[in-house]
Amino acid sequence: MMRISAALGLIAAAFLPSAANAFGGGKGTSSSPTEPLVARSSRRDFLATGATVGAGVVTSGVITSPPFGSGEAIATAAPSSAALRGAISLPPIGLGAWAWGDSIFWGYDKKNDGDLAEVFDYAVSKDLAFFDTAELYGFGRSEQLLGDFRAKYPPEQADKVQIASKFAAFPFRTKPQDVVNACRKSVERLGNKPIDLYQIHFPNAWSNAEYWDGLAMAYEEGLVKAVGVSNYGVDAVRACH
């Protein structure tokens, strides 16, 4: 359990307590409405990338106070990238790749792979090559496509492509090694490069602590550059962090 603390220090989990304030779900995370954003940058760096806080309004990279008076008054210029505690730096916009390979929900057809490659190339050309995928998306097909598209680039360009992927917390996966094994397969599909951000896709009714240890093990083995969690509530994030 303790070993995950160091690895999770590399993600933006620290900002989620304040996100709880914005959506009314936190405990013991009060803050003054007039408190400057810079004073809480360790928890709110992600907002500077253009995310909306509660009912806040985002205009030209500046987050202003909510029009209905229900949130915090904050304003800051958006940086060109968001740093995850010094481990990796991400562009302000990423592309979700769930539909890339998923025929069950999104009607994926292999004949459209050329169109997906064009989208990939365009993102690379605009320095916005950050893609979110998961082993569940197309049962690995999404990861395989991203790996194949990246492999067409010379090393100096391929290294600029950043990918986040996720571990599926199925009930039959109960051990830290399950996370590591799944991560290795994702790495293979993605072209045998370390995954920039690897996350638990969703919490389980049990084994969550084992999953967090698995994240730490994947990080320690050099399979991933940073780790995190997805679809976790505020209390769950606090528990693993």
Side-chain angles (χ1 to χ4, degrees):
M1 282 292 295
M2 294 301 294
R3 63 192 301 182
I4 191 62
S5 298
L8 280 174
L10 299 172
I11 69 170
F15 65 65
L16 286 176
S18 60
N21 279 344
F23 297 100
K27 296 180 180 179
T29 56
S30 62
S31 60
S32 169
T34 59
E35 183 183 356
L37 175 65
V38 292
R40 291 168 286 130
S41 60
S42 64
R43 293 180 288 134
R44 288 191 174 248
D45 285 345
F46 80 113
L47 295 178
T49 66
T52 303
V53 187
V57 179
V58 181
T59 306
S60 300
V62 175
I63 306 172
T64 59
S65 58
F68 306 112
S70 60
E72 301 180 28
I74 56 175
T76 183
S80 59
S81 63
L84 295 190
R85 301 295 290 270
I88 58 175
S89 182
L90 303 175
I93 298 176
L95 285 78
W98 181 10
W100 296 28
D102 190 294
S103 58
I104 296 177
F105 294 99
W106 296 103
Y108 163 76
D109 191 321
K110 191 174 182 179
K111 68 181 183 182
N112 295 323
D113 286 357
D115 294 337
L116 298 178
E118 287 186 23
V119 174
F120 185 94
D121 293 341
Y122 182 80
V124 173
S125 71
K126 298 299 181 180
D127 293 325
L128 295 173
F130 172 46
F131 301 89
D132 174 76
T133 185
E135 62 173 340
L136 268 183
Y137 297 170
F139 301 106
R141 179 61 179 167
S142 177
E143 291 178 326
Q144 188 68 56
L145 285 170
L146 289 172
D148 291 346
F149 295 158
R150 178 166 58 179
K152 296 178 181 179
Y153 284 85
E156 61 272 14
Q157 283 185 287
D159 288 344
K160 294 180 180 180
V161 176
Q162 295 174 293
I163 296 176
S165 193
K166 311 178 199 72
F167 166 83
F170 294 129
F172 55 84
R173 289 172 158 177
T174 60
K175 300 178 181 179
Q177 192 62 42
D178 291 330
V179 178
V180 176
N181 293 342
C183 184
R184 286 175 179 158
K185 292 180 180 178
S186 289
V187 168
E188 290 177 5
R189 287 189 290 267
L190 289 166
N192 292 306
K193 290 179 176 291
I195 298 172
D196 295 280
L197 176 60
Y198 194 60
Q199 304 153 89
I200 304 301
H201 202 157
F202 42 83
N204 199 325
W206 55 84
S207 302
N208 290 304
E210 285 76 14
Y211 296 153
W212 306 335
D213 280 343
L215 287 178
M217 291 167 62
Y219 174 77
E220 290 169 354
E221 289 190 20
L223 297 171
V224 302
K225 296 180 182 179
V227 301
V229 294
S230 173
N231 295 307
Y232 267 49
V234 175
D235 290 339
V237 170
R238 285 202 189 96
C240 72
H241 187 62

